[in-house]
Amino acid sequence: AKIRVGLLFGGRSGEHEVSINSAAAIAQALQIGENGSKYDILPVYIQKNGVWLAGDTASKVLETKTPLSTEDTNPSQLWQFPPQVQEVEVWVPVLHGPNGEDGTIQGLLRLMQVPFVGSGVLGSAVGMDKIAMKMAFAQAGLPQVKYRAVERSQVWSNPCIFPKLCDEIEADLGYPCFVKPANLGSSVGIAKVRSHSELETALDSAASYDRRIVIEAGVNARELECAVLGNDNPKASVVGEVTFEGDFYDYETKYTEGRSQIHIPANLPDKIVTQIQEMAIQAFKTVDAAGLARVDFFYVEETEEIYLNEINTLPGFTKFSMYPQLWKATGINFEQLVDQLVQFALEK
Ligand code: ATP
Ligand code: MG
Ligand code: MG
Ligand code: MG
């Protein structure tokens, strides 16, 4: 009998649309070739209000790649899962950002006692929160840019403390620096700042996205990414590079066709490639990731310095996304990759 795969997508996140695109590609890959005779897919769409829908409505969202508009949520709807959910034998969560990449869905699936692709509760949560992630990486001795963590309450509550806090950050990190909400993705809410007044504005804005905020010293560096696949003995892919016009790799640059390019493999000395692959696996293990992750780096060519930027435990997964492209260049095509991920979930 075929294995019943629950494809979970959409979600209560700023990356809802990205998730639909990733899920459409994965759904297709699960239906063709050998995968088609192995797997039977149940698409399950999580609306922007958090309500789960299965069946034809979910399939339609995948086909049209268009989110459904939502009405106000009745809290009781949030616990009314579609009945087909009970038949799922393995889940493929394709949710990016909050309420999907951060351990919340992983906790729910674990309570259901059904295996799922990707990191568990701990790996997802540590990988999502940039402050927790940086602390874990620091403890593991992984190189990172200089940073500060601040709380929303420091930004908003006391008008006397805030300017002083900005003075301190300025003295510590200099300009440019990057202000980031700790728990988002796709560059949502991130600002590159170059002055005291921009710093104040950016912190105030970041505080509206998240209770926890990170400020990092800016580096002028190449951006490299490495894909990791596996559970207890994870493997690293070849290394890729992202280039783009513009100030930094912001949301618009990421998702506007033609604004950024990926280069696989990146043109790098072998020694640097090896170091990045080792660091990617170390980062994966440090946060207790599983299944898949994309690990992002900054590389300063002149000094040969490598800084670990972040781990993404549910990276973008369209045909054109970096993660599947890195594996393709390493010898695992899209269909094989999706199959391996499901198999890693079943063996976990
Ligand atoms: P993703 O979509 O990969 O999850 P994210 O929202 O987690 O991204 P980051 O990767 O932390 O965000 O930062 C987004 C982009 O901002 C980087 O790719 C880079 O272009 C720029 N950037 C972030 N931090 C720095 C830094 N310290 N120095 C230089 N550029 C930076
Ligand atoms: Mg990220
Ligand atoms: Mg992300
Ligand atoms: Mg990133």
Side-chain angles (χ1 to χ4, degrees):
K2 290 187 186 183
I3 301 171
R4 191 91 168 125
V5 180
L7 185 65
L8 200 52
F9 66 100
R12 212 154 54 77
S13 146
E15 295 171 89
H16 185 97
E17 281 77 6
V18 185
S19 160
I20 296 175
N21 288 324
S22 297
I26 292 174
Q28 199 194 22
L30 283 167
Q31 281 163 307
I32 58 180
E34 277 175 42
N35 288 351
S37 50
K38 261 162 103 174
Y39 303 119
D40 193 13
I41 314 176
L42 175 72
V44 178
Y45 173 58
I46 305 179
Q47 290 181 274
K48 285 184 182 173
N49 61 4
V51 173
W52 292 32
L53 300 171
D56 292 346
T57 329
S59 303
K60 183 112 192 284
V61 174
L62 273 189
E63 270 163 42
T64 59
K65 297 190 185 165
T66 315
L68 281 188
S69 65
T70 47
E71 282 152 35
D72 290 343
T73 318
N74 168 354
S76 71
Q77 282 177 283
L78 295 175
W79 287 100
Q80 287 165 14
F81 299 112
Q84 301 97 306
V85 159
Q86 294 175 30
E87 296 153 23
V88 170
E89 291 169 284
V90 56
W91 285 102
V92 183
V94 194
L95 301 157
H96 310 301
N99 304 306
E101 191 171 349
D102 60 356
T104 50
I105 283 285
Q106 289 73 14
L108 179 66
L109 300 181
R110 181 145 162 212
L111 287 172
M112 287 181 181
Q113 302 181 37
V114 178
F116 55 90
V117 167
S119 297
V121 173
L122 179 66
S124 302
V126 177
M128 184 87 268
D129 185 281
K130 289 185 188 294
I131 300 172
M133 176 180 72
K134 282 177 185 294
M135 287 176 163
F137 288 162
Q139 192 64 32
L142 288 158
Q144 306 179 83
V145 298
K146 210 170 168 197
Y147 72 96
R148 283 279 303 251
V150 305
E151 282 166 25
R152 172 189 283 163
S153 61
Q154 294 173 276
V155 176
W156 279 354
S157 63
N158 192 331
C160 309
I161 294 174
F162 183 51
K164 237 186 94 194
L165 178 70
C166 290
D167 290 343
E168 263 178 50
I169 294 169
E170 181 180 78
D172 247 22
L173 306 178
Y175 298 117
C177 62
F178 285 79
V179 178
K180 309 179 180 183
N183 286 279
L184 291 176
S186 286
S187 301
V188 174
I190 296 183
K192 180 175 183 176
V193 307
R194 295 174 183 79
S195 68
H196 202 279
S197 72
E198 280 179 14
L199 178 60
E200 289 184 18
T201 311
L203 283 170
D204 188 60
S205 154
S208 68
Y209 284 97
D210 201 337
R211 282 175 46 246
R212 288 153 70 79
I213 302 163
V214 189
I215 310 102
E216 293 176 15
V219 281
N220 194 356
R222 291 168 65 184
E223 295 198 32
L224 306 176
E225 305 190 345
C226 184
V228 181
L229 173 67
N231 289 335
D232 293 339
N233 186 19
K235 300 284 184 282
S237 70
V238 299
V239 175
E241 178 166 12
V242 184
T243 58
F244 45 85
E245 315 253 300
D247 214 15
F248 70 99
Y249 198 28
D250 61 7
Y251 187 93
E252 237 203 294
T253 311
K254 281 179 182 170
Y255 299 112
T256 311
E257 187 87 53
R259 288 280 294 274
S260 62
Q261 289 78 40
I262 66 178
H263 310 268
I264 301 174
N267 183 13
L268 293 168
D270 291 347
K271 180 185 80 181
I272 300 295
V273 172
T274 307
Q275 278 183 43
I276 285 184
Q277 289 169 328
E278 284 171 3
M279 281 164 64
I281 289 172
Q282 221 189 325
F284 188 92
K285 292 187 165 187
T286 297
V287 304
D288 191 32
L292 76 165
R294 196 193 73 223
V295 186
D296 299 351
F297 297 86
F298 298 123
Y299 173 56
V300 186
E301 204 165 11
E302 300 74 45
T303 54
E304 294 199 334
E305 281 162 299
I306 302 168
Y307 298 102
L308 174 56
N309 171 25
E310 62 157 348
I311 187 165
N312 288 288
T313 53
L314 279 173
F317 216 115
T318 70
K319 286 250 150 88
F320 309 102
S321 298
M322 185 64 106
Y323 186 85
Q325 291 283 338
L326 285 170
W327 282 115
K328 195 173 165 197
T330 312
I332 303 175
N333 73 29
F334 198 95
E335 290 76 47
Q336 293 167 329
L337 180 61
V338 171
D339 179 38
Q340 288 200 20
L341 285 168
V342 174
Q343 294 304 322
F344 279 125
L346 291 169
E347 79 169 31
K348 217 169 19 175

